[in-house]
């Protein structure tokens, strides 16, 4: 008799599989206020590792962390016309504080361009103060009518970078640097997701930006997820907040700015990129737990051995957990670690002790085989690196095999039913984009023929990547 | 002619000195909404280091990080009677979301006992799920009528731990473990502040707790600052949220709980503990920048030398910054690093190159002397350890010399004008406590004669520590 599946199979109902996995792997729960979420310890552990890896890259790019208030005076939002138009429908508004009605209602930040510019305009005096490179890790609120855990939540966690530069070129180059060296490098080499780096069309730009760079990933069902964005803000906010500096020539000049962010949405992207019918598969470089050493039975020699193996792997630089909770049946624990997607399981029972071996189960390619215990400190790190590469290769393979090159709008819409379409932007244009949107298909980004990021929408040979998206 | 002081001297006006320092050392600004603050990069760097050190200790104590929503249904707050009474006057309330009035207003979390218990009651089923040890790093909002940057702000950053246990004893021991092994160890050995660990009186307990443990520090002006608290919640929230588990005996039992937190208020405590008329003094183990290597003049050989020294100190494990911004006058940069309290400055000019020396300036004891460049990788780490110990010794010296042993209420009130008083709790009692409160003097905590934490308010020989407080 076949076992009942732990999760709804992906092929039966992908959204339900996603929700099942999040619940059963104990990643998150829905919050009590509609659209909010509770991130449980294992899910938060994934986010913490993302933060560590990202934070190191952000600092490497020269930015410093700071913290700006959660509450923004409503009047700030209205100073940049496109910005307020973009965010007004999503705002949460505080009207009462300390038992009294407030004189001016305050908005819970949906993003911090406005309040940060208020301070940049005080801090920046001269060209010596530039570039000013700031990042913050924070929660933001955007009221969400169709929430989905991690992907679209009324409150989410993110980092938002905000910078001011002396010239257009410097700002442009910094937005591009974050796009490739921080986000692109992290998503490709840590998350193991084969993201496409491109440029948003005018329609899809951030509210207040002159250019938005994006990273798009293909999920297991062929749909696209925007994993992060880096914006050139031009001088739009500088004008609204009068953020000026004294140039070397003694002139007052407006600064040029960027902003850029990634959020807990990446956890959703991770799940839908790498998950399978048995649960999550976490890329080893990200994994908070890279290997779990399981005692099959609770006898003393087995317990001693799993602890010893744990110590030896830890000494070899592996992030390891020892599971000696033998009052819970082994089978249930094994399924749980599989659901949680821990890359390597090392299972030790009484018979293994006699042989000096342990069973090594690999979550990413699947399968298990006995391995001499003494070789584990060499074998496990090698296996982890192999499986990291395997996830990226699988992600790439999926994206390539499910992306069709097409030349007409009808073909693009058809391809987007099961995957992505690449179509010359000159064939589509803003009108074609609007027509596709009526069918729920969007231009995810513009890319150059050689796969690089085009410097303008109308650069010759520009391709549009078209898909349904989360 | 004497230089004009950079800061208002402490002796002239301590509160103004504090505000001056925060502004001039670029630690924080006031936010636009009353009582909020902008934490600038250097101030946030101090908080980040506090987070790192604390987070490691919290994980060592077995707790895992998670994240609960910012927004709490108003109805949750009212379930625990004392809790709502304590927090109602400080709440910020969201009444509108996504352009509509909400059916039920939501509260911006002032603390998360209620919402966390709602989930604990789902997650905890059996004794196997206990203890459940959770921590979160988050922002919270408590509307503040008399705000002061870092010390009392309407929004602040903190960690809040929340745990559930099978027995009273286990919860009690865990609250005590956090009090001593996490908070006490961190504040003493990293912050270099000679905190007193004690127990709050019933009047000063957290709203909803059966016992509150506290850490109290003496500031430079002799007043007290509560640096952190760890609460035994008993079964108060468990009753309100029906948080039960199936015991080994097959009985449904209510859990026993703790909660504990420290916040960005510690940055204020750091400033007022260690700051002097020249600025901040940052303990080396905390310092984001332990040593700065300054080029006095902009010639190529000097620039090359400061970078080389920076690399060598970095290799020796020192957190170092190289300051080669020689387009800003050296004197101004030196004053700025002094204001920021970087423990060690290494100054290199053309003459030093000839001698193979550099000037080593120590912020904590003060003074400077020439040191052979080749010895810096040994000298600097040794100096840093010495100065760490020195700060703690100074903090202890101040507390001891400014704490008076008294036996009457009148003496206690008098001593509290300039420092702290120790008085037998049996002499004071809740009535004396109320009388002192009329004069703005509070019982900071109860301690045993041997300096340990009393297990009950009425334990024989219990002393009350009495002071004015921030």
């Amino acid at each position: 008799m076949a076992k009942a599946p732990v999760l709804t199979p992906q092929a039966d109902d992908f959204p339900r599989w996603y929700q099942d996995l999040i619940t059963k792997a104990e990643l998150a729960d829905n919050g009590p206020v509609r659209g909010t979420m509770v991130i449980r310890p294992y899910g938060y552990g994934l986010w913490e590792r993302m933060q560590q890896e990202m934070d190191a890259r952000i600092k490497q790019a020269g930015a410093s962390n700071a913290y700006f208030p959660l509450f923004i005076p409503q009047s700030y939002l209205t100073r940049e016309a496109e910005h307020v138009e973009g965010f007004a429908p999503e705002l949460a508004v505080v009207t009462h504080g300390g038992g009294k009605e407030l004189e001016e209602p305050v908005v819970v930040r949906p993003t911090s361009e406005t309040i940060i510019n208020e301070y940049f305009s005080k801090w920046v005096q001269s060209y010596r103060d530039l570039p000013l490179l700031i990042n913050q890790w924070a929660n933001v609120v955007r009221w969400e009518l169709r929430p989905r855990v991690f992907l679209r939540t009324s409150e989410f966690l993110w980092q938002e970078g905000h910078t001011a530069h002396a010239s257009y070129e410097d700002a442009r180059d910094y937005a591009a640097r974050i796009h490739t060296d921080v986000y692109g490098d992290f998503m490709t080499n840590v998350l193991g997701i084969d993201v496409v780096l491109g440029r948003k069309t005018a329609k899809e730009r951030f509210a207040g930006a002159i250019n938005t760079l994006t990273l798009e990933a293909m999920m297991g069902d062929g749909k696209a997820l925007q994993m992060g964005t880096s914006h050139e803000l031009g001088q739009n906010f500088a004008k609204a907040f009068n953020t000026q500096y004294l140039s070397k020539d003694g002139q007052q000049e407006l600064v040029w700015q960027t902003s850029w962010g990634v959020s807990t949405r990446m956890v959703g992207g991770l799940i839908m990129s790498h998950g399978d019918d048995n649960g999550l598969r976490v890329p080893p470089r990200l994994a908070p737990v890279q290997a779990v050493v399981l005692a099959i039975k609770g006898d003393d020699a087995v317990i001693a051995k799993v602890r010893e193996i744990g110590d030896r792997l830890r000494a070899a630089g592996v992030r390891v957990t020892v599971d000696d909770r033998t009052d819970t049946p082994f089978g249930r624990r094994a399924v749980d670690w599989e659901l949680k997607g821990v890359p390597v399981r090392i299972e030790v029972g009484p018979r293994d002790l006699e042989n000096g071996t342990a069973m090594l189960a690999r979550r990413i390619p699947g399968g298990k085989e006995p391995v001499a215990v003494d070789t584990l400190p060499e074998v496990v790190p090698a296996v982890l690196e192999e499986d990291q590469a395997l996830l990226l290769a699988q992600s790439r393979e999926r994206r390539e095999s499910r992306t069709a090159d097409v030349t007409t709008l009808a073909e693009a819409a058809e391809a987007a039913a099961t995957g992505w379409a690449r179509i010359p932007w000159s064939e589509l244009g803003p009108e074609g984009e609007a027509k596709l949107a009526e069918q729920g298909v969007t231009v995810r980004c513009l890319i150059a023929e050689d796969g690089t990021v085009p410097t303008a929408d109308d650069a010759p040979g520009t391709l549009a990547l078209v898909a349904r998206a989360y």
Side-chain angles (χ1 to χ4, degrees), chain A:
Chain A
M1 198 178 77
K3 278 193 301 183
V6 176
L7 306 174
T8 305
Q10 289 188 337
D12 290 2
D13 186 341
F14 196 83
R16 201 167 145 195
W17 164 84
Y18 177 75
Q19 188 53 60
D20 272 10
L21 191 159
I22 285 172
T23 304
K24 298 208 170 153
E26 299 182 338
L27 298 176
D29 278 359
N30 288 312
V33 173
R34 188 174 158 73
T36 62
M37 65 176 161
V38 175
I39 309 179
R40 300 185 67 172
Y42 190 70
Y44 198 81
L46 297 172
W47 175 241
E48 272 185 307
R49 287 282 307 129
M50 290 182 186
Q51 286 187 300
Q52 285 167 11
E53 293 283 340
M54 291 277 313
D55 197 66
R57 285 169 177 76
I58 289 168
K59 285 175 174 152
Q60 191 65 36
S64 301
N65 288 337
Y67 187 77
F68 291 82
L70 175 70
F71 292 152
I72 302 180
Q74 214 164 26
S75 59
Y76 282 24
L77 267 292
T78 58
R79 288 202 216 163
E80 212 291 328
E82 282 185 26
H83 190 68
V84 69
E85 196 188 317
F87 283 104
E90 304 177 355
L91 298 177
V93 184
V94 176
T95 53
H96 291 72
K100 288 189 186 150
E101 186 162 359
L102 302 180
E103 285 178 24
E104 185 190 352
V106 301
V107 159
V108 183
R109 66 179 158 225
T111 180
S112 302
E113 277 77 7
T114 60
I115 195 166
I116 287 182
N117 260 280
E118 177 77 6
Y119 288 85
F120 275 19
S121 69
K122 292 175 190 165
W123 298 343
V124 172
Q125 302 293 331
S126 112
Y127 69 92
R128 283 194 191 86
D129 301 322
L130 299 175
L132 179 56
L133 311 174
I134 297 285
N135 178 61
Q136 84 173 352
W137 291 96
N139 54 344
V140 286
V141 170
R142 299 177 186 176
W143 214 262
E144 194 53 72
L145 297 178
R146 294 163 300 129
R148 192 176 296 187
V149 180
F150 288 122
L151 299 176
R152 265 196 317 273
T153 48
S154 292
E155 180 193 8
F156 54 89
L157 305 182
W158 78 344
Q159 61 68 220
E160 49 178 322
H162 297 270
T163 69
H165 305 259
S167 70
Y168 162 75
E169 290 76 13
D170 198 45
R172 178 197 63 197
D173 292 350
Y174 198 77
R177 179 176 175 186
I178 294 293
H179 189 218
T180 55
D181 296 0
V182 176
Y183 295 165
D185 179 65
F186 168 71
M187 292 176 195
T188 308
N189 295 319
V190 179
L191 296 187
I193 298 177
D194 185 49
V195 284
V196 172
L197 279 67
R199 173 188 173 92
K200 286 287 186 193
T201 61
K203 178 173 182 292
E204 299 282 338
R205 258 180 224 145
F206 176 74
I210 62 167
N211 185 26
T212 288
L213 303 169
T214 183
L215 301 98
E216 303 283 330
M218 185 186 279
M219 302 292 102
D221 60 353
K223 286 169 80 171
L225 182 73
Q226 177 181 306
M227 296 282 286
T229 46
S230 180
H231 315 292
E232 295 174 46
L233 302 176
Q235 297 181 310
N236 289 339
F237 290 91
K239 280 176 199 152
F241 288 83
N242 200 27
T243 314
Q244 296 195 340
Y245 72 98
L246 192 68
S247 73
K248 280 190 185 169
D249 312 333
Q251 302 294 314
Q252 286 291 338
E253 307 268 8
L254 291 168
V255 298
W256 295 85
Q257 296 190 272
T258 79
S259 71
W260 27 279
V262 296
S263 74
T264 37
R265 161 174 263 221
M266 286 196 296
V267 179
L270 183 82
I271 297 166
M272 294 196 296
S273 285
H274 298 320
D276 65 20
D277 285 347
N278 296 319
L280 185 55
R281 299 186 302 164
V282 184
R285 289 195 197 143
L286 182 76
V289 182
Q290 297 177 308
V292 58
V293 190
L294 287 116
I296 295 176
K297 289 243 161 85
D299 77 52
D300 290 350
V302 169
I303 301 289
K305 183 54 79 180
V306 292
R307 290 180 186 170
E308 179 206 319
I309 294 173
D311 290 341
R312 289 173 69 181
L313 288 176
R314 223 169 269 123
V318 178
R319 292 187 289 273
V320 60
T321 287
V322 170
D323 179 354
D324 52 11
R325 300 167 299 158
T326 48
D327 54 350
T328 302
F330 167 72
R332 202 192 293 174
R333 289 181 288 134
V335 165
D336 188 54
W337 290 115
E338 191 160 70
L339 264 168
K340 289 192 159 74
V342 170
V344 163
R345 292 198 314 276
I346 295 153
E347 305 170 351
V348 180
R351 242 184 320 185
D352 297 302
L353 291 186
E354 292 165 27
N355 305 330
T357 59
M359 200 57 93
L360 179 82
R362 289 167 68 171
R363 178 67 182 91
I364 291 162
K368 57 165 112 175
E369 57 176 8
V371 171
V373 163
D374 287 340
T375 66
L376 284 171
E378 288 84 52
V379 168
V380 171
V383 158
L384 292 172
E385 273 306 291
E386 212 177 293
D387 292 350
Q388 177 77 34
L390 185 58
L391 277 181
L392 180 62
Q394 291 177 347
S395 168
R396 178 163 300 149
E397 209 287 309
R398 176 170 61 221
R399 183 180 64 74
E400 285 176 353
S401 68
R402 294 175 75 167
T403 301
D405 283 298
V406 302
T407 52
T408 70
L409 196 145
E411 288 168 339
E414 199 196 322
T418 55
W420 293 3
R422 239 182 330 242
I423 182 171
W425 175 236
S426 57
E427 296 294 319
L428 200 60
E431 281 176 38
E433 185 180 19
K435 277 186 197 152
L436 282 176
E438 288 166 17
Q439 304 171 53
V441 176
T442 49
V443 177
R444 304 314 306 152
C445 62
L446 303 176
I447 49 175
E449 276 171 312
D450 62 359
T452 60
V453 182
T455 52
D457 293 5
D458 55 2
T462 296
L463 297 170
L465 207 55
V466 160
R468 292 177 189 280
Y470 282 94

